[in-house]
């Protein structure tokens, strides 16, 4: 494999950001998502090891290409604990579903619910593609939403019925839809987010992570809820086919992202709080984040006879606003990755051409295709993933929280970068 070694000068390379009391570089804040306070800024450690072999295609040397986080004990604990809770929850959730849908309705509802679930999980994959979350945590998030949050809802729901003083059935139904459901369901779903933030802090450290986990939890919750609605449409109707088609169109076609958008606002707010880690602030963000989720949920369930007008004038704009917000988050995430890797480049760990390959989608495709032609695609994927994780570790260092802990992690990741570079270059 043709490689082009870069030989840095002996000793630490000159760092334009180095120096006691130096002002914060203008480029250190490439976006609002990664704001750094001047007193927290630290230059990247200099590379003093062996020469760095670049891992870029020869044709892009000197040009600009246009367009594992470490495991923690909390991750294993969440996986085991979440699986146990999900298993126990099934003893409450499955009988509830079967009693409302019957075996045939349950089966049809289960199969039909896979369609909107696939749409939501596809969105999660796209949002999470830049820096994928550990599959164990995504598994925890989904099972929490599909089983545990449903069980929590079923356990809390009766207390709201007992507290309702009116005897009119229609008023009770309205109360349950517009008051009980938004409060209880959003609380139950977001408890999973709080556990992820408290126990998997290395993996939940920004708004994009919050949205990814929230969408996954909400997708699981909507999946189980859809089984109930789809199955009930078959079991309780004189015209099962017609009734099922109407319910499926409403929930599976017109609103597959309803729960995701509700809970996504909670995840977004908690993700911003995670940028500046503090346990108290994270718990406070949990309660603050519930408010917009409950409000949006209430507005959706409150649509009545003017449903179509409200859907077009209110819900559709909210959906496109959510899409625009996610795109903005992704752009900010890429800009932040590029800036942090440029700081490592100034310290000798990457070449400028490598940074452009590592920090743009087009560059990553180029690097993967090139490495694939030499049978090194898997190693290049690991190199790309490690570089992104390194950039996020540097962001945590510059946030001023647990600096020594993250600097130790940074040193380990830099050594891993050298090993992965060698695996790609050999």
């Amino acid at each position: 494999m043709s490689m082009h070694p870069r030989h840095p000068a002996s000793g630490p390379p000159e760092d334009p950001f180095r120096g006691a009391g130096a002002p914060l570089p203008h480029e250190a804040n490439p976006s609002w998502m990664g704001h750094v306070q001047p007193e927290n800024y630290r230059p990247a450690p200099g590379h003093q090891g062996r020469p760095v072999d670049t891992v870029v295609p020869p044709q892009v040397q000197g040009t600009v290409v246009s367009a594992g986080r470490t495991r923690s004990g909390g991750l294993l604990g969440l996986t085991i604990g979440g699986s146990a809770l999900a298993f126990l929850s099934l003893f409450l959730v499955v009988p509830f579903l079967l009693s409302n849908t019957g075996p045939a309705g349950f089966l049809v509802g289960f199969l039909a619910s896979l369609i909107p679930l696939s749409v939501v999980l596809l969105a999660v994959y796209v949002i999470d593609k830049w820096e994928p979350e550990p599959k164990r945590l995504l598994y925890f998030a989904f099972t929490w939403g599909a089983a545990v949050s449903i069980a929590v809802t079923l356990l809390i729901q009766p207390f709201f019925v007992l507290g309702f003083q009116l005897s009119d059935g229609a008023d009770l139904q309205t109360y349950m839809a517009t008051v009980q459901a938004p409060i209880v369901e959003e609380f139950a779903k977001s408890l999973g987010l709080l556990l992820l933030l408290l126990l998997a802090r290395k993996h939940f450290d920004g708004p994009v992570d919050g949205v990814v986990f929230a969408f996954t939890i909400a997708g699981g919750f909507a999946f189980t809820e859809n089984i109930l609605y789809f199955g009930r449409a078959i079991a309780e109707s004189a015209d099962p086919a017609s009734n099922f088609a109407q319910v499926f169109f409403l929930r599976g076609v017109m609103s597959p992202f309803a729960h995701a958008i509700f809970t996504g606002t909670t995840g977004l707010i908690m993700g911003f709080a995670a940028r500046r880690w503090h346990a108290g602030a994270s718990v406070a963000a949990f309660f603050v984040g519930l408010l917009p989720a409950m409000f949006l949920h209430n507005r959706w369930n409150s649509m009545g006879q003017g449903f179509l007008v409200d859907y077009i004038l209110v819900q559709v704009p909210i959906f496109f606003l959510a899409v625009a917000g996610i795109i903005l988050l992704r752009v900010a995430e890429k800009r932040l990755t590029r800036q942090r890797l440029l700081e490592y480049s100034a310290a000798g760990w990457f070449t400028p051409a490598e940074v452009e390959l590592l920090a743009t989608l087009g560059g990553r495709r180029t690097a993967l295709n090139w490495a694939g032609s030499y049978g090194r695609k898997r190693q290049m994927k690991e190199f790309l993933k490690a570089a992104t994780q390194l950039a996020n570790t540097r962001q945590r260092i510059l946030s001023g929280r647990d600096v020594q802990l993250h600097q130790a992690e940074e040193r380990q990741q830099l050594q891993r970068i050298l090993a992965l570079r060698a695996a790609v270059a050999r």
Side-chain angles (χ1 to χ4, degrees), residues 32 119 123-124 126-127 208 211 215 256-258 260-262 264-265 268 296 314-332:
W32 46 268
V119 174
V124 170
V126 172
I127 298 169
V208 175
V211 170
F215 271 41
F257 291 101
I261 292 175
F262 305 155
T265 59
L268 180 69
L296 290 174
V314 178
Q315 300 302 329
V316 171
I318 289 176
F319 171 77
F320 283 109
L321 182 63
V323 172
I326 290 171
I327 293 174
L328 183 61
L329 287 174
R330 285 288 305 272
V331 171

Side-chain angles (χ1 to χ4, degrees), residues 52-127:
V52 174
D53 293 334
T54 62
V55 287
V56 298
Q59 64 268 27
V60 301
Q61 284 290 331
T63 66
V64 175
V65 178
S66 60
R69 297 174 180 173
T70 58
R71 293 183 179 180
S72 63
L75 192 153
L76 180 60
L78 277 174
T79 303
I80 297 175
S83 298
L85 283 174
F87 178 74
L88 293 174
S89 297
L90 292 178
F91 288 95
L92 177 61
V93 175
V94 173
F96 169 77
L97 292 175
L98 287 173
S99 66
N100 281 271
T101 64
F106 178 87
L107 178 60
V108 174
F110 179 90
L111 295 176
S113 296
L114 293 173
I115 298 174
L117 173 65
S118 300
V119 174
V120 174
L121 293 184
L122 177 60
V124 170
Y125 171 77
V126 172
I127 298 169

Side-chain angles (χ1 to χ4, degrees), residues 1 55 57 365-381 424:
M1 181 183 295
V55 287
R365 284 194 294 268
T366 299
L368 288 171
N369 291 337
W370 173 71
S373 66
Y374 289 92
R376 295 286 186 271
K377 188 171 185 177
R378 180 182 60 82
Q379 291 86 342
M380 179 61 81
K381 283 184 177 180
V424 174

Side-chain angles (χ1 to χ4, degrees), residues 168-238:
D168 184 85
D171 289 342
L172 176 61
Q173 186 176 7
T174 300
Y175 168 81
M176 296 296 288
T178 60
V179 178
Q180 176 270 326
I183 294 176
V184 176
E185 293 177 10
E186 295 308 322
F187 175 79
K189 287 183 287 182
S190 297
L191 274 179
L193 285 174
L194 184 60
L195 289 175
L196 284 166
L197 184 55
L198 294 176
L199 301 179
R201 53 186 289 186
K202 288 184 179 180
H203 305 277
F204 191 163
D205 61 356
V208 175
D209 297 336
V211 170
V212 166
F213 289 132
F215 271 41
T216 306
I217 290 174
F221 185 93
F223 169 71
T224 304
E225 191 178 57
N226 282 335
I227 295 175
L228 174 65
Y229 280 92
F230 295 161
R232 185 182 287 170
I234 294 174
E236 298 180 354
S237 175

